Amino acid sequence: MKIIKEIEKSRLTEDGLKGIKGGATNPGDQCSEEVTYRSCGSIGNIHFNVVPYWFGTHFLKIAFMNKIDSKLSKRILLVAIICFSIVNISFAQTQIHVDERFELTSIVFRLTDDIAFVHSTPANYIADIDDYFSPYKNHELIEFVKKTIYSKSILDISLPVELASDIKITSDSIMWTNDWTPLFVQHDTLPVNRIWTRSEREEYLCLLNKFYKDTHFHKFYSSHADFYAAIESAFDSIISKIDTSWFLNFFGIPYQMDNIWLVPANGYHNFAIHRSDSNFCKYNNCALGGVLIDSIGNPYLHKNVFMVLIHEICHNYSNPMCAKYDTMFADICDTLFFKVSDKLKKSYYSLPSAILYEGTNRLCEFSYYVSQNIYNDIEIKEKIRTQIYDGFIWFEDMLRYMNVFYANREKYITFETFIPQLKLFLEQVVENMEHYYFPKYDMLIPRVVATYPAMNSVVETNLNEVRIQFSKPMQHLRGILKVDVEDVSFPPVVDWRSMYWENDYVYVIPLKEPLKQNTKYGLKITSDFADALDYFGAIPYDLIFETKPTNQHDDNKK
């Protein structure tokens, strides 16, 4: 009876199952391509693509509640037990690895010198990469990759890990994997100006083989085995914290994670990689960056790596779900993207579909945090501000709107059944964008509200400091730059160590010598250099002032 209680606790009742996948009432109807979260195998001559946890418990509930024939009941129980075993084996077989394929492709793209693929952490390892591979920057593979990525209308920062997941390295060569269907085969119909074509990927694979041999890549990879092992060891304690039961309760699909690839060569970038094979078996994977190095050279993982892990795991569930609603959300996504594209593109979200796919996934991620009480209220608010800064400026209200879902779980059995309500919510966002969301966003962004000297003012040559006052409490200003204006000089600051915060709002820049007469001076503050306490970058600001001419100064003295 414990099993029945568990299924009722998760609200996956017999009636509820009807709402999960298009109203199917026959338990056998649930075993479809849409729900193959992967336990593939066979019992006797019967091949099955999936046996989700809730599918097995539903069988058990029928056996107990409806007093089925004892022989049939025993068979059902046997099947269910085998199903549970298969699912549990799947959980236990999550592979956590610094994989040679991912280091290879990440390093290849780093050698293009494109800012999207060049990372500075982990510092010691990156230095090793640059020292070893700098002689190969003009390799024909690198030239091909540069030419190909710049020929596309959209720069896809996921390319290194997508390509890595679809290859395998053997003792003889690098080839496309047969573990699942490569992404370029699935996406052959997409416009060629957006993705790599099949012929481009085949040429890439040919040149990748040459690069691998020319650089003796495996030698480099093997020489860092201890470093990779330390990264893998650091991750072991993190994955054990995941509450796998939440995924069943929220998505109606059991937890599954096949591979977690730790990719130190890929900086802070993180990706979910969802694949399927010819038998419709699903494979959930993710590639994580965020590796750092301490003062004595030991690797460790960024403090937010657990948050990133949950985010990428959720993508494996939310992306297939969102794909079903592409058409329904197309118009609303286009409308919202037009209004906030400048903000989303800063975070490399270059398509309207990010409104649906990324916005929905972040909602799933935060639902996990709230249910697990992982973060306190202050931490949650900080993380919500990050979502707003990334361009999802309605996120706080959308998260609050999720209370409708939680209060009506009898109606909304799984999160997917609630998706149409999110479309109605986003339609209201459009209506309130100009008068509510944009002003609210503007208030969150720190800006310069006062300076000494004032903008375009005329000052004495004996000015001894510049003061910048912000609208919000700030955590640091990492530097100032020269303005890009002709005939404007940079003030004679002492050095960066002499600059200081007088309080949370005012930054003081001491000057080391008198200014020149009749001269324009200026300095620039950018969003990359000035952050508020809630991590919002300041609106860029150019301060320009000038000194008095000699005769004006003398007249004032008289």
Side-chain angles (χ1 to χ4, degrees), residues 163 166 176 181-189 195-199 201-202 275:
L163 289 167
D166 287 342
W176 299 120
T181 306
L183 186 68
F184 75 93
V185 175
Q186 301 177 41
H187 288 181
D188 261 354
T189 58
I195 67 161
W196 285 23
T197 63
R198 183 188 291 263
S199 61
R201 296 199 180 215
E202 292 296 347
R275 291 290 187 270

Side-chain angles (χ1 to χ4, degrees), residues 385-399:
R385 291 190 189 104
T386 301
Q387 316 309 308
I388 296 171
Y389 185 69
D390 284 348
F392 301 94
I393 64 178
W394 53 86
F395 187 81
E396 184 173 13
D397 289 313
M398 186 163 67
L399 187 60

Side-chain angles (χ1 to χ4, degrees), residues 336-403:
L336 281 172
F337 188 77
F338 176 77
K339 293 178 179 294
V340 297
S341 60
D342 58 325
K343 301 170 181 61
L344 288 171
K345 286 178 179 179
K346 290 189 303 182
S347 302
Y348 294 100
Y349 298 120
S350 303
L351 292 172
S353 57
I355 303 290
L356 173 60
Y357 284 81
E358 186 62 23
T360 300
N361 190 69
R362 293 181 180 214
L363 194 60
C364 297
E365 172 195 348
F366 270 71
S367 296
Y368 180 91
Y369 301 152
V370 172
S371 72
Q372 303 295 307
N373 294 315
I374 293 175
Y375 302 108
N376 60 40
D377 289 345
I378 294 175
E379 290 170 326
I380 286 289
K381 287 179 180 178
E382 289 176 354
K383 295 181 187 306
I384 288 173
R385 291 190 189 104
T386 301
Q387 316 309 308
I388 296 171
Y389 185 69
D390 284 348
F392 301 94
I393 64 178
W394 53 86
F395 187 81
E396 184 173 13
D397 289 313
M398 186 163 67
L399 187 60
R400 192 175 292 121
Y401 190 73
M402 279 294 288
N403 287 332

Side-chain angles (χ1 to χ4, degrees), residues 154-283:
I154 293 173
L155 180 62
D156 185 357
I157 63 170
S158 69
L159 259 175
V161 296
E162 294 285 7
L163 289 167
S165 67
D166 287 342
I167 62 174
K168 64 178 179 180
I169 301 175
T170 70
S171 57
D172 299 321
S173 65
I174 302 174
M175 60 185 70
W176 299 120
T177 184
N178 54 10
D179 292 339
W180 48 63
T181 306
L183 186 68
F184 75 93
V185 175
Q186 301 177 41
H187 288 181
D188 261 354
T189 58
L190 290 180
V192 296
N193 68 324
R194 280 178 45 192
I195 67 161
W196 285 23
T197 63
R198 183 188 291 263
S199 61
E200 287 170 337
R201 296 199 180 215
E202 292 296 347
E203 184 173 356
Y204 165 82
L205 185 65
C206 178
L207 292 173
L208 185 66
N209 272 278
K210 189 173 188 304
F211 178 86
Y212 185 82
K213 294 174 182 176
D214 291 347
T215 61
H216 305 284
F217 187 87
H218 188 69
K219 176 183 176 182
F220 174 85
Y221 177 77
S222 299
S223 68
H224 291 82
D226 291 343
F227 174 71
Y228 300 148
I231 296 171
E232 293 165 1
S233 178
F235 196 82
D236 286 342
S237 62
I238 293 173
I239 194 170
S240 64
K241 298 177 182 177
I242 299 173
D243 177 6
T244 59
S245 66
W246 178 85
F247 295 86
L248 175 64
N249 183 274
F250 190 78
F251 292 109
I253 298 169
Y255 173 81
Q256 176 199 329
M257 180 53 54
D258 296 287
N259 296 286
I260 296 175
W261 296 300
L262 305 173
V263 194
N266 205 34
Y268 284 111
H269 288 164
N270 310 280
F271 303 94
I273 302 173
H274 191 71
R275 291 290 187 270
S276 60
D277 63 21
S278 57
N279 292 320
F280 304 114
C281 293
K282 306 291 185 180
Y283 297 83

Side-chain angles (χ1 to χ4, degrees), residues 27-38:
D29 293 341
Q30 304 302 320
C31 191
S32 65
E33 188 273 336
E34 290 184 337
V35 293
T36 51
Y37 278 82
R38 170 181 67 89

Side-chain angles (χ1 to χ4, degrees), residues 7 31 39 63 72 77 80 83 118 120 126 159 184 236 251 279 284 343 385 396 466 486 488 493 512 524 526 541 555:
I7 197 169
C31 191
S39 293
L72 178 58
L77 283 170
C83 295
V118 176
S120 58
I126 294 299
L159 259 175
F184 75 93
D236 286 342
F251 292 109
N279 292 320
N284 290 351
K343 301 170 181 61
R385 291 190 189 104
E396 184 173 13
V466 174
E486 190 176 354
V488 175
V493 301
K512 64 182 178 181
K524 177 193 292 287
T526 72
Y541 186 85
D555 289 343

